[in-house]
Amino acid sequence: MLRSSDGGFSFSSLTSLSGSLDDQYWRDLQNGFVVGQAAVRRTTDGGQSWQPIPGVSESGLFFGGDIEFLDQELGWIVTDFEAYRTTNGEHPGPT
């Protein structure tokens, strides 16, 4: 995963996440989520480090996933076999 802070003139590597990434959502420059093959992660430091999301199983991530937010608080993470919803923008729970 690469990040640009100058409108795309240059890019830097954020970190090494294993597996392919299928979708991402960024609330702002520091807070974001990624989902994909073998990865459901959240960052609070602009992508320099990534943490698992408490309560979200990665067992269903064989072929990827999707993440959608209606606003900064209401969102869903969908994997091949599971769906999770958040109403506070922080920790999605099973739906």
Side-chain angles (χ1 to χ4, degrees), residues 4 11 13 35 39 44 60 73 80-81 94:
S4 176
F11 288 86
S13 179
V35 296
T44 57
E73 295 184 354
D80 289 334
F81 303 109

mmCIF file with all atom_site columns, all heavy atoms in Angstrom, residues 4 11 13 35 39 44 60 73 80-81 94:
data_model
loop_
_atom_site.group_PDB
_atom_site.id
_atom_site.type_symbol
_atom_site.label_atom_id
_atom_site.label_alt_id
_atom_site.label_comp_id
_atom_site.label_asym_id
_atom_site.label_entity_id
_atom_site.label_seq_id
_atom_site.pdbx_PDB_ins_code
_atom_site.Cartn_x
_atom_site.Cartn_y
_atom_site.Cartn_z
_atom_site.occupancy
_atom_site.B_iso_or_equiv
_atom_site.pdbx_formal_charge
_atom_site.auth_seq_id
_atom_site.auth_comp_id
_atom_site.auth_asym_id
_atom_site.auth_atom_id
_atom_site.pdbx_PDB_model_num
ATOM 1  N N   . SER A 1 4  ? 0.306   9.061   -0.710 1.00 0.00 ? 4  SER A N   1
ATOM 2  C CA  . SER A 1 4  ? 0.833   10.329  -1.210 1.00 0.00 ? 4  SER A CA  1
ATOM 3  C C   . SER A 1 4  ? 0.322   11.449  -0.318 1.00 0.00 ? 4  SER A C   1
ATOM 4  O O   . SER A 1 4  ? -0.848  11.490  0.025  1.00 0.00 ? 4  SER A O   1
ATOM 5  C CB  . SER A 1 4  ? 0.380   10.571  -2.646 1.00 0.00 ? 4  SER A CB  1
ATOM 6  O OG  . SER A 1 4  ? 0.822   11.845  -3.062 1.00 0.00 ? 4  SER A OG  1
ATOM 7  N N   . PHE A 1 11 ? 5.039   9.079   -3.795 1.00 0.00 ? 11 PHE A N   1
ATOM 8  C CA  . PHE A 1 11 ? 4.383   8.094   -2.955 1.00 0.00 ? 11 PHE A CA  1
ATOM 9  C C   . PHE A 1 11 ? 5.401   7.449   -2.032 1.00 0.00 ? 11 PHE A C   1
ATOM 10 O O   . PHE A 1 11 ? 6.565   7.302   -2.385 1.00 0.00 ? 11 PHE A O   1
ATOM 11 C CB  . PHE A 1 11 ? 3.720   6.999   -3.803 1.00 0.00 ? 11 PHE A CB  1
ATOM 12 C CG  . PHE A 1 11 ? 2.498   7.472   -4.534 1.00 0.00 ? 11 PHE A CG  1
ATOM 13 C CD1 . PHE A 1 11 ? 2.611   8.086   -5.771 1.00 0.00 ? 11 PHE A CD1 1
ATOM 14 C CD2 . PHE A 1 11 ? 1.244   7.314   -3.984 1.00 0.00 ? 11 PHE A CD2 1
ATOM 15 C CE1 . PHE A 1 11 ? 1.494   8.528   -6.447 1.00 0.00 ? 11 PHE A CE1 1
ATOM 16 C CE2 . PHE A 1 11 ? 0.123   7.755   -4.661 1.00 0.00 ? 11 PHE A CE2 1
ATOM 17 C CZ  . PHE A 1 11 ? 0.246   8.359   -5.890 1.00 0.00 ? 11 PHE A CZ  1
ATOM 18 N N   . SER A 1 13 ? 5.761   4.005   0.851  1.00 0.00 ? 13 SER A N   1
ATOM 19 C CA  . SER A 1 13 ? 5.153   2.770   1.322  1.00 0.00 ? 13 SER A CA  1
ATOM 20 C C   . SER A 1 13 ? 4.681   2.958   2.755  1.00 0.00 ? 13 SER A C   1
ATOM 21 O O   . SER A 1 13 ? 5.397   3.496   3.594  1.00 0.00 ? 13 SER A O   1
ATOM 22 C CB  . SER A 1 13 ? 6.164   1.630   1.249  1.00 0.00 ? 13 SER A CB  1
ATOM 23 O OG  . SER A 1 13 ? 5.585   0.444   1.726  1.00 0.00 ? 13 SER A OG  1
ATOM 24 N N   . VAL A 1 35 ? -9.726  -3.945  3.969  1.00 0.00 ? 35 VAL A N   1
ATOM 25 C CA  . VAL A 1 35 ? -10.179 -5.334  3.991  1.00 0.00 ? 35 VAL A CA  1
ATOM 26 C C   . VAL A 1 35 ? -9.660  -6.010  2.735  1.00 0.00 ? 35 VAL A C   1
ATOM 27 O O   . VAL A 1 35 ? -9.452  -5.378  1.705  1.00 0.00 ? 35 VAL A O   1
ATOM 28 C CB  . VAL A 1 35 ? -11.720 -5.457  4.057  1.00 0.00 ? 35 VAL A CB  1
ATOM 29 C CG1 . VAL A 1 35 ? -12.255 -4.892  5.342  1.00 0.00 ? 35 VAL A CG1 1
ATOM 30 C CG2 . VAL A 1 35 ? -12.380 -4.794  2.868  1.00 0.00 ? 35 VAL A CG2 1
ATOM 31 N N   . ALA A 1 39 ? -6.840  -10.024 5.540  1.00 0.00 ? 39 ALA A N   1
ATOM 32 C CA  . ALA A 1 39 ? -6.570  -8.770  6.246  1.00 0.00 ? 39 ALA A CA  1
ATOM 33 C C   . ALA A 1 39 ? -7.846  -7.987  6.497  1.00 0.00 ? 39 ALA A C   1
ATOM 34 O O   . ALA A 1 39 ? -8.585  -7.676  5.581  1.00 0.00 ? 39 ALA A O   1
ATOM 35 C CB  . ALA A 1 39 ? -5.591  -7.908  5.450  1.00 0.00 ? 39 ALA A CB  1
ATOM 36 N N   . THR A 1 44 ? -4.806  4.280   12.895 1.00 0.00 ? 44 THR A N   1
ATOM 37 C CA  . THR A 1 44 ? -5.108  5.573   13.505 1.00 0.00 ? 44 THR A CA  1
ATOM 38 C C   . THR A 1 44 ? -3.942  6.542   13.333 1.00 0.00 ? 44 THR A C   1
ATOM 39 O O   . THR A 1 44 ? -3.958  7.631   13.884 1.00 0.00 ? 44 THR A O   1
ATOM 40 C CB  . THR A 1 44 ? -5.432  5.403   15.011 1.00 0.00 ? 44 THR A CB  1
ATOM 41 O OG1 . THR A 1 44 ? -4.327  4.756   15.657 1.00 0.00 ? 44 THR A OG1 1
ATOM 42 C CG2 . THR A 1 44 ? -6.699  4.594   15.214 1.00 0.00 ? 44 THR A CG2 1
ATOM 43 N N   . GLY A 1 60 ? -13.457 -15.567 7.287  1.00 0.00 ? 60 GLY A N   1
ATOM 44 C CA  . GLY A 1 60 ? -14.209 -15.559 6.042  1.00 0.00 ? 60 GLY A CA  1
ATOM 45 C C   . GLY A 1 60 ? -13.512 -14.882 4.885  1.00 0.00 ? 60 GLY A C   1
ATOM 46 O O   . GLY A 1 60 ? -14.079 -14.730 3.819  1.00 0.00 ? 60 GLY A O   1
ATOM 47 N N   . GLU A 1 73 ? -19.905 7.356   11.001 1.00 0.00 ? 73 GLU A N   1
ATOM 48 C CA  . GLU A 1 73 ? -20.218 6.434   12.087 1.00 0.00 ? 73 GLU A CA  1
ATOM 49 C C   . GLU A 1 73 ? -20.875 5.138   11.631 1.00 0.00 ? 73 GLU A C   1
ATOM 50 O O   . GLU A 1 73 ? -20.666 4.102   12.235 1.00 0.00 ? 73 GLU A O   1
ATOM 51 C CB  . GLU A 1 73 ? -21.089 7.131   13.115 1.00 0.00 ? 73 GLU A CB  1
ATOM 52 C CG  . GLU A 1 73 ? -20.361 8.276   13.793 1.00 0.00 ? 73 GLU A CG  1
ATOM 53 C CD  . GLU A 1 73 ? -21.161 8.918   14.892 1.00 0.00 ? 73 GLU A CD  1
ATOM 54 O OE1 . GLU A 1 73 ? -22.341 8.552   15.074 1.00 0.00 ? 73 GLU A OE1 1
ATOM 55 O OE2 . GLU A 1 73 ? -20.612 9.781   15.574 1.00 0.00 ? 73 GLU A OE2 1
ATOM 56 N N   . ASP A 1 80 ? -16.588 -12.952 2.716  1.00 0.00 ? 80 ASP A N   1
ATOM 57 C CA  . ASP A 1 80 ? -17.277 -14.012 1.985  1.00 0.00 ? 80 ASP A CA  1
ATOM 58 C C   . ASP A 1 80 ? -18.374 -14.675 2.803  1.00 0.00 ? 80 ASP A C   1
ATOM 59 O O   . ASP A 1 80 ? -19.391 -15.089 2.261  1.00 0.00 ? 80 ASP A O   1
ATOM 60 C CB  . ASP A 1 80 ? -16.291 -15.074 1.522  1.00 0.00 ? 80 ASP A CB  1
ATOM 61 C CG  . ASP A 1 80 ? -15.408 -14.567 0.402  1.00 0.00 ? 80 ASP A CG  1
ATOM 62 O OD1 . ASP A 1 80 ? -15.841 -13.658 -0.328 1.00 0.00 ? 80 ASP A OD1 1
ATOM 63 O OD2 . ASP A 1 80 ? -14.287 -15.073 0.268  1.00 0.00 ? 80 ASP A OD2 1
ATOM 64 N N   . PHE A 1 81 ? -18.160 -14.798 4.117  1.00 0.00 ? 81 PHE A N   1
ATOM 65 C CA  . PHE A 1 81 ? -19.096 -15.550 4.937  1.00 0.00 ? 81 PHE A CA  1
ATOM 66 C C   . PHE A 1 81 ? -19.668 -14.767 6.107  1.00 0.00 ? 81 PHE A C   1
ATOM 67 O O   . PHE A 1 81 ? -20.502 -15.287 6.839  1.00 0.00 ? 81 PHE A O   1
ATOM 68 C CB  . PHE A 1 81 ? -18.421 -16.811 5.480  1.00 0.00 ? 81 PHE A CB  1
ATOM 69 C CG  . PHE A 1 81 ? -17.870 -17.682 4.390  1.00 0.00 ? 81 PHE A CG  1
ATOM 70 C CD1 . PHE A 1 81 ? -16.504 -17.788 4.203  1.00 0.00 ? 81 PHE A CD1 1
ATOM 71 C CD2 . PHE A 1 81 ? -18.708 -18.363 3.532  1.00 0.00 ? 81 PHE A CD2 1
ATOM 72 C CE1 . PHE A 1 81 ? -15.985 -18.585 3.195  1.00 0.00 ? 81 PHE A CE1 1
ATOM 73 C CE2 . PHE A 1 81 ? -18.200 -19.164 2.519  1.00 0.00 ? 81 PHE A CE2 1
ATOM 74 C CZ  . PHE A 1 81 ? -16.838 -19.275 2.356  1.00 0.00 ? 81 PHE A CZ  1
ATOM 75 N N   . PRO A 1 94 ? -20.833 -8.173  14.653 1.00 0.00 ? 94 PRO A N   1
ATOM 76 C CA  . PRO A 1 94 ? -21.569 -9.028  13.729 1.00 0.00 ? 94 PRO A CA  1
ATOM 77 C C   . PRO A 1 94 ? -22.978 -8.504  13.476 1.00 0.00 ? 94 PRO A C   1
ATOM 78 O O   . PRO A 1 94 ? -23.590 -7.930  14.370 1.00 0.00 ? 94 PRO A O   1
ATOM 79 C CB  . PRO A 1 94 ? -21.629 -10.386 14.434 1.00 0.00 ? 94 PRO A CB  1
ATOM 80 C CG  . PRO A 1 94 ? -20.649 -10.299 15.547 1.00 0.00 ? 94 PRO A CG  1
ATOM 81 C CD  . PRO A 1 94 ? -20.433 -8.872  15.844 1.00 0.00 ? 94 PRO A CD  1
#
